Amino acid sequence: MDTRGTFQRARRPEQVQERRAVILATARDLLARRRAADVSLRELADEVGLAMSNVLRYFDSREAIFAQILDAEWRDWLDELAVALPAATRGRPEDGLARARQAADAIAGTLLARPLLCELLSGIATILERNIPLDFTREIKRQSWAKRERLGELVRAEFPALRREDAWDFAGAVVFTLAGLWPYTRPTDAVATVLAEAGMPPALESIGTTLRDMLVRQLTGTLALTAPGMDLLSVPLGPSGS
C-alpha cells in the first residue's frame, strides 16, 4: 500500500482512525512477507509514507501496532474455533481418544491456517513484550490471559472432565508449542535445500504434523491426570457429543 505524499496531519477523529487503519493494514502486509523481528518501525513508516515521529502520533511503538493486530487475529481465530471444535469432536461419543485427536486436529488446523497469527504468537515473549512500558505490559498480558482463558473454556466445553486450571494449562501449551515450532516454517535457503535433499516434507507440513501430535499427547495426558485411572475411551462428553 503506497501512501507516500497523500497524508496531511489528521485533525478530526475520523482522520485519526483512517491513519491508524492504514498503518495497521501496511503492517499486516509487511508481516505477510517478513518475520516480525525483521520489520522495523522505520521500514513501516517508509511504507506508509510518514516519518517515524508521525507514526508514533497514532501508536506508541512498533510493538503496540503488532499487539493490536495480534489481538484482532487471536479473537477471530477463537471465534472460528468456537464453531470448528464442536463440529470436529461431534459423532464419536464412544471414543474419547479419537475425540481428543479430532480436537487437536481442529485446533492445529485452524491455527496454522492463520500464518499472521502464528507469527505474532511466536513473537510474544521475544518481540511484543520487549522494550515496552509498564502500562502497555499490563494491557498485553491482560489480553493474552483473556484469550488463553477463552481457549481453555472452549476445550473444556468438549471435555468437561477437565478442571478449569487444567484447561488453562492446556491452552498455554497450545501457544507455547506453536511459538516453539513456528520459526521453523521459514527456513533459510540453505536449510530448505538440505531438507529437500534429505527427502523431508515441506517445513509447514512437517510442523503441522508435529503440532497435532504434541497437542494430542498434551490433551490426552491432561485428561488422564485430571482423573487418574479414567478410561480415555470413555472420556465424559461435552454438549456436542451428548
Side-chain angles (χ1 to χ4, degrees):
M1 180 180 298
D2 189 355
T3 56
R4 286 175 171 79
T6 65
F7 276 149
Q8 296 177 353
R9 183 170 181 179
R11 299 184 183 280
R12 298 193 300 273
E14 60 271 22
Q15 291 176 320
V16 172
Q17 290 305 311
E18 178 189 353
R19 304 297 189 273
R20 288 172 60 89
V22 170
I23 292 168
L24 289 170
T26 303
R28 282 175 172 273
D29 182 62
L30 285 171
L31 289 167
R33 297 181 276 115
R34 307 271 301 281
R35 290 181 180 273
D38 297 332
V39 177
S40 68
L41 183 62
R42 181 178 298 279
E43 179 183 15
L44 176 58
D46 287 345
E47 287 289 319
V48 174
L50 290 173
M52 285 197 301
S53 59
N54 287 333
V55 171
L56 293 174
R57 292 179 185 273
Y58 305 105
F59 293 94
D60 291 335
S61 63
R62 177 193 68 156
E63 290 73 22
I65 296 170
F66 290 173
Q68 184 156 333
I69 295 172
L70 171 60
D71 185 59
E73 287 289 316
W74 204 341
R75 184 174 58 249
D76 288 348
W77 172 59
L78 290 173
D79 288 344
E80 178 185 2
L81 191 63
V83 176
L85 190 56
T89 58
R90 188 177 298 128
R92 286 184 179 268
E94 77 292 349
D95 192 339
L97 182 57
R99 294 183 70 246
R101 291 185 182 279
Q102 289 174 313
D105 279 345
I107 293 169
T110 54
L111 186 54
L112 293 172
R114 294 176 175 269
L116 176 55
L117 173 60
C118 294
E119 177 66 24
L120 292 173
L121 283 175
S122 72
I124 289 179
T126 57
I127 300 172
L128 272 70
E129 293 181 354
R130 300 291 176 181
N131 302 314
I132 57 177
L134 180 59
D135 286 346
F136 185 50
T137 301
R138 289 193 180 102
E139 180 61 17
I140 280 188
K141 299 310 292 184
R142 183 193 65 78
Q143 292 176 0
S144 295
W145 290 334
K147 302 297 188 302
R148 181 174 170 180
E149 179 78 16
R150 187 181 176 198
L151 174 56
E153 289 306 308
L154 290 176
V155 174
R156 193 161 169 251
E158 303 308 311
F159 300 94
L162 286 176
R163 296 170 299 191
R164 186 174 183 180
E165 58 268 29
D166 296 317
W168 168 267
D169 287 343
F170 174 72
V174 172
V175 176
F176 303 147
T177 304
L178 181 280
L181 292 173
W182 183 254
Y184 293 99
T185 64
R186 290 181 171 178
T188 64
D189 291 342
V191 172
T193 297
V194 172
L195 292 176
E197 291 172 349
M200 301 291 287
L204 186 56
E205 178 183 331
S206 175
I207 294 307
T209 299
T210 302
L211 179 61
R212 288 176 173 86
D213 289 347
M214 293 181 76
L215 293 186
V216 168
R217 294 187 181 98
Q218 182 72 30
L219 181 55
T220 55
T222 301
L223 286 165
L225 288 172
T226 297
M230 179 180 65
D231 183 359
L232 283 177
L233 297 181
S234 57
V235 174
L237 301 176
S240 68
S242 56

